[in-house]
Amino acid sequence: VLVIDDDERVGPDLKELLAPRGYEVDFVTGYGEELIESAITIAQSFRPHVAVIDFRLTDEDDDSGGFSVSEKMKSACLILYSAFLKVSLTTEARSRGFFLWVEKQNETIEIIQGVDQAAKTKSADRKNFLVENATGYCNRKILESLFGEGTDIPATIIDDVLCQLFQDHQKVLLRPVT
């Protein structure tokens, strides 16, 4: 889970809530364009399944920084986390592909449940998605054949991709093509 918020208290607070539930949580704080650039840089190396993004990343009333950073995180399941939710904002969030929106003033259980639901759409581990592999190739070998030896891509990404491709299933069987 990657938390992006200009309020420096939000990231550590969400980490405290989510880490005991088995989530790896990183967060980005700052202000304006610098915050957006840092978030994109961290997302490229952290590769979050879920991004919890504040809408206002500066103090300006019409700021849509949360939407601009979300455009760079297409592979993550996006949760809009804002103190300023209104119908026009949630409508825009829906049209931009956000999975969920949670008001910061709501009970903490809402953001926890939201992250749990979002993670199940992207993470094979969170969904308890089972991949049976009869090909003779382990995930690391598959990644190395695609991206070369020494790739830093986590081996679990193979299962995550299959989980996303076969969303309506709990299990897949990989067999060699004859």
Side-chain angles (χ1 to χ4, degrees):
V1 178
L2 179 61
V3 179
I4 304 162
D5 202 303
D6 63 333
D7 182 342
E8 60 190 37
R9 298 170 296 181
V10 173
D13 287 350
L14 288 180
K15 185 172 187 168
E16 188 176 310
L17 286 172
L18 297 171
R21 298 180 64 80
Y23 290 101
E24 184 178 343
V25 181
D26 201 351
F27 51 88
V28 185
T29 59
Y31 184 77
E33 288 301 317
E34 181 181 304
L35 170 58
I36 293 168
E37 289 174 21
S38 294
I40 292 167
T41 300
I42 289 173
Q44 289 172 340
S45 62
F46 186 62
R47 294 185 176 103
H49 289 104
V50 179
V52 178
I53 306 172
D54 185 19
F55 174 66
R56 291 188 177 167
L57 299 177
T58 68
D59 289 331
E60 300 170 20
D61 289 338
D62 64 343
D63 177 37
S64 60
F67 287 146
S68 66
V69 75
S70 72
E71 293 170 0
K72 304 291 185 186
M73 299 194 186
K74 299 271 187 209
S75 67
C77 196
L78 306 172
I79 297 176
L80 184 63
Y81 193 52
S82 178
F84 304 100
L85 288 184
K86 52 188 175 191
V87 174
S88 61
L89 181 59
T90 58
T91 302
E92 180 75 9
R94 179 180 292 119
S95 73
R96 290 179 179 256
F98 276 74
F99 178 78
L100 183 69
W101 35 92
V102 177
E103 200 158 11
K104 286 183 179 178
Q105 295 87 342
N106 290 359
E107 296 290 326
T108 55
I109 191 67
E110 284 191 46
I111 190 65
I112 292 170
Q113 289 173 340
V115 169
D116 285 345
Q117 292 169 359
K120 287 178 183 176
T121 69
K122 299 288 182 175
S123 168
D125 183 55
R126 287 290 164 173
K127 184 179 177 183
N128 294 319
F129 186 78
L130 180 61
V131 177
E132 288 186 18
N133 190 340
T135 66
Y137 293 99
C138 67
N139 284 358
R140 177 58 46 204
K141 184 80 171 163
I142 294 169
L143 283 174
E144 288 176 354
S145 70
L146 293 170
F147 301 105
E149 283 189 37
T151 181
D152 66 343
I153 297 172
T156 56
I157 202 154
I158 299 290
D159 294 346
D160 292 340
V161 169
L162 291 169
C163 175
Q164 292 168 44
L165 288 172
F166 299 99
Q167 294 175 20
D168 298 334
H169 297 80
Q170 279 299 120
K171 176 180 169 181
V172 296
L173 170 62
L174 300 180
R175 288 189 296 221
V177 177
T178 56

